[in-house]
Amino acid sequence: MKESQERQLAMLKRIYETCMPPRPVFKPYHDAVPDGMVPYISCSDLFDYKFNVRIIPLAEFILGENDKLENATIVASYNSMQELVADGWVLD
């Protein structure tokens, strides 16, 4: 694993252990992210150790309506943090 991927993995592990931030956000330049959308992991997925990347329009993310954030579209789902990082997701 590349050094940058190892660093991403270490940061993700820390986030899952502490739940801080409660909704980790990824950089939007992954192929699975349409323009104007924010990729992130929802609070419930974080607490349940699920590795789903969801997207929501930036304006809705900023408003922070919990129901919308928890039920936004899943664009990628993984069995592990390692798979998520290996697929190119980078924390913002």
Side-chain angles (χ1 to χ4, degrees):
M1 189 176 270
K2 296 179 189 177
E3 184 178 329
S4 61
Q5 288 180 326
E6 289 175 7
R7 195 171 24 253
Q8 287 296 311
L9 189 56
M11 287 189 291
L12 264 177
K13 283 181 182 177
R14 201 168 316 123
I15 290 169
Y16 272 87
E17 289 169 359
T18 63
C19 294
M20 291 304 289
R23 286 189 184 95
V25 174
F26 296 99
K27 294 192 182 286
Y29 55 70
H30 192 279
D31 291 340
V33 182
D35 288 342
M37 303 295 270
V38 175
Y40 67 99
I41 296 175
S42 70
C43 288
S44 60
D45 287 343
L46 189 68
F47 295 142
D48 292 339
Y49 269 76
K50 292 182 180 176
F51 309 102
N52 299 319
V53 178
R54 297 174 185 269
I55 57 169
I56 196 165
L58 177 59
E60 289 183 29
F61 186 83
I62 291 170
L63 287 175
E65 292 179 32
N66 195 53
D67 188 49
K68 286 184 179 181
L69 290 166
E70 290 302 310
N71 296 301
T73 302
I74 296 172
V75 293
S77 187
Y78 303 93
N79 293 315
S80 69
M81 278 183 238
Q82 291 83 354
E83 285 181 13
L84 186 147
V85 170
D87 193 32
W89 293 101
V90 177
L91 289 164
D92 197 4

